[in-house]
Amino acid sequence: MHVARGGPLVDTPNLADLLQRDGVKLEVVPEKKGILFLKHVEYKLFSKHYKLPVIRRYSDFSVLHTLLLQKFIYRMVPPLPSKHRDCVEGRCRALQRFMTLVIRHPILSVDELVKVFMTASSDVQVKLREVFKRAGDEYMTCPLATHVKGYIPDDIQSQAEASREFICNMHSSFQKLRDVTERMSQRTRENSADLLMFGKDLRALGSDASQPPQVAILHPSWKEHRQSLHGLSEEFRVLADKAVIQGAREEEDVVEKLSIFLDLLQSYKDLCDRHKNGIFLEHQRSLQRRRAEPLTDLLENPESRLRQQENAIVTMELRSYFSLFCLHQETQLILTYLPLTTNILAAFIQSQIQGHQEVGNQYSSSFGIHIHTYIHGC
């Protein structure tokens, strides 16, 4: 986030810029690697910017996540999914959300750690640790770190607390919405399976090869009944296919995008916890260090020890200001993403309308004809 006309405190990319950043895609490599019980899952990571795909293990993502947290403790680092998720595909989607948020973040995305992770063809964990050792955390490398106090308003603490409460409430609300849409998407897929089974049963009924009683054979409508049942089975297969498409559309356009937004909000909540605990712990450690100073050391080198203590206090205060500065920037980033939720929910409404229209169109065409033929043949 470079200095802009409004100052670095409010310098945030717009939503279009964030969404147009390098896209990533993750796929599960079909065959597990390793021997016997030591087999592990590998993922193929694609990037529009870096072109060539790379192969990564879960442990590679874990190392990246750990190092990002250490280097960017004052930033929103996306949550990493548990290694022990029941579904490999679900973990793959969660890892893709993690990488998507990293790539979209204005600070994380341009860091050397991310570049190495996206390009290294071998020994990625070793290379990540080497890159981390060459530089300190963001406070030590940011040119603005020691000057941010002048950009921070007097009521920054109350603003931060109000923002935290607002975004925590938002997280709770959108989690409920995501859970509902996920259940609806699941029911759509289950409906597809039911429609397909119903169609198969109709086909079996219409294709029954057993000899019917003589009275049925002589009845003029019997043959039409069998033909209509067979035709209806095909229409149910078409409806099942449409339900599969709608379920996939809801999963991709609604559930996954809401999950990305929830991961973003969770990373903000985690950041707020680090900020609150970090300032408190820094003060505690500073006090403990001062109390632990032996009296003899203070008497032998009073000026040197005093300068060290003063420098430690100044650094602690500057880090506290930098933490508040970063927290405010990250709050602005969350607010930039907010309009996206309207687009996601609009896509959900459109998916529902489209799904019902497709069913209605199917009924009014050949499906309706088969129903009409069957009813009037009775």
Side-chain angles (χ1 to χ4, degrees), residues 39-246:
K39 286 181 178 267
H40 59 267
V41 178
E42 291 187 333
Y43 305 90
K44 183 178 289 187
L45 179 61
F46 300 87
S47 165
K48 292 180 182 178
H49 177 71
Y50 295 104
K51 308 299 183 184
L52 294 177
V54 291
I55 302 297
R56 295 289 178 259
R57 298 174 57 177
Y58 178 87
S59 58
D60 299 330
F61 290 95
S62 181
V63 170
L64 175 65
H65 180 256
T66 299
L67 296 181
L68 286 175
L69 274 176
Q70 292 180 26
K71 185 169 185 179
F72 298 101
I73 191 172
Y74 307 123
R75 299 290 178 183
M76 292 187 298
V77 177
L80 191 71
S82 170
K83 183 178 182 180
H84 303 293
R85 280 183 84 114
D86 295 334
C87 176
V88 173
E89 288 74 17
R91 188 197 312 156
C92 182
R93 289 195 298 270
L95 287 172
Q96 178 165 314
R97 294 197 297 268
F98 166 74
M99 288 306 304
T100 296
L101 290 175
V102 168
I103 291 297
R104 285 180 181 175
H105 195 284
I107 300 296
L108 306 186
S109 60
V110 296
D111 189 73
E112 186 69 16
L113 286 171
V114 176
K115 181 179 178 181
V116 169
F117 188 81
M118 299 297 295
T119 58
S121 57
S122 62
D123 300 326
V124 62
Q125 296 184 26
V126 174
K127 293 176 181 177
L128 286 172
R129 291 188 176 98
E130 288 175 351
V131 168
F132 179 75
K133 288 179 181 178
R134 291 199 296 265
D137 68 355
E138 185 187 7
Y139 172 81
M140 298 175 64
T141 57
C142 177
L144 286 173
T146 57
H147 308 288
V148 297
K149 183 179 179 180
Y151 297 106
I152 295 176
D154 294 337
D155 63 342
I156 188 67
Q157 287 282 11
S158 59
Q159 286 188 33
E161 186 58 34
S163 298
R164 179 183 181 279
E165 183 177 357
F166 170 72
I167 291 174
C168 285
N169 291 336
M170 189 189 308
H171 180 274
S172 177
S173 298
F174 274 97
Q175 190 165 38
K176 293 175 183 177
L177 289 175
R178 193 279 309 274
D179 291 345
V180 170
T181 57
E182 193 170 35
R183 289 196 299 270
M184 293 179 69
S185 176
Q186 178 63 30
R187 284 199 298 269
T188 301
R189 292 191 294 270
E190 291 172 353
N191 185 43
S192 169
D194 290 340
L195 287 168
L196 190 61
M197 182 59 67
F198 195 91
K200 287 181 179 180
D201 290 341
L202 281 179
R203 179 184 292 272
L205 186 61
S207 306
D208 189 1
S210 62
Q211 185 67 22
Q214 187 67 22
V215 65
I217 296 175
L218 294 176
H219 198 282
S221 64
W222 171 244
K223 186 176 181 180
E224 293 180 1
H225 277 313
R226 297 188 66 174
Q227 290 176 347
S228 295
L229 289 173
H230 196 277
L232 284 171
S233 69
E234 180 62 22
E235 301 306 326
F236 273 98
R237 184 194 64 78
V238 173
L239 288 175
D241 291 343
K242 291 184 181 299
V244 168
I245 294 172
Q246 182 179 349

Side-chain angles (χ1 to χ4, degrees), residues 274-290:
R274 290 198 302 273
H275 168 77
K276 183 176 180 180
N277 297 333
I279 291 178
F280 174 76
L281 290 176
E282 284 294 331
H283 280 279
Q284 289 294 101
R285 288 168 184 164
S286 177
L287 290 172
Q288 289 174 0
R289 282 195 295 268
R290 292 190 66 179

